[in-house]
Amino acid sequence: MPHDQDIEGDTSKIASEYECLQCGKIVSAKTHPGECSDCGGEFQNRAKSLE
Ligand SMILES: [Zn+2]
């Protein structure tokens, strides 16, 4: 089952999960989401902490 679409040939830009350090909100984004839209807290890339 093919799931890959043409995303301008850039296969490194896959979505990562980021977790808000303050409220625990999880967002999925290709780039760092900046600050939490709910509490203004800082996001941490969950993938990095799982290595
Ligand atoms: Zn938050």
Side-chain angles (χ1 to χ4, degrees), residues 20-25 35-43:
C20 176
L21 297 177
Q22 287 198 49
C23 72
K25 178 185 178 71
E35 63 182 28
C36 180
S37 58
D38 284 358
C39 72
E42 185 180 346
F43 277 110

Side-chain angles (χ1 to χ4, degrees), residues 1-37:
M1 49 182 74
H3 61 275
D4 53 344
Q5 300 174 335
D6 260 342
I7 47 173
E8 297 167 1
D10 193 349
T11 54
S12 67
K13 290 260 182 181
I14 58 174
S16 301
E17 282 194 333
Y18 294 86
E19 179 176 12
C20 176
L21 297 177
Q22 287 198 49
C23 72
K25 178 185 178 71
I26 305 293
V27 299
S28 185
K30 292 177 183 175
T31 58
H32 197 282
E35 63 182 28
C36 180
S37 58

Side-chain angles (χ1 to χ4, degrees), residues 38-50:
D38 284 358
C39 72
E42 185 180 346
F43 277 110
Q44 174 181 300
N45 192 327
R46 299 183 77 209
K48 281 184 180 176
S49 61
L50 291 175

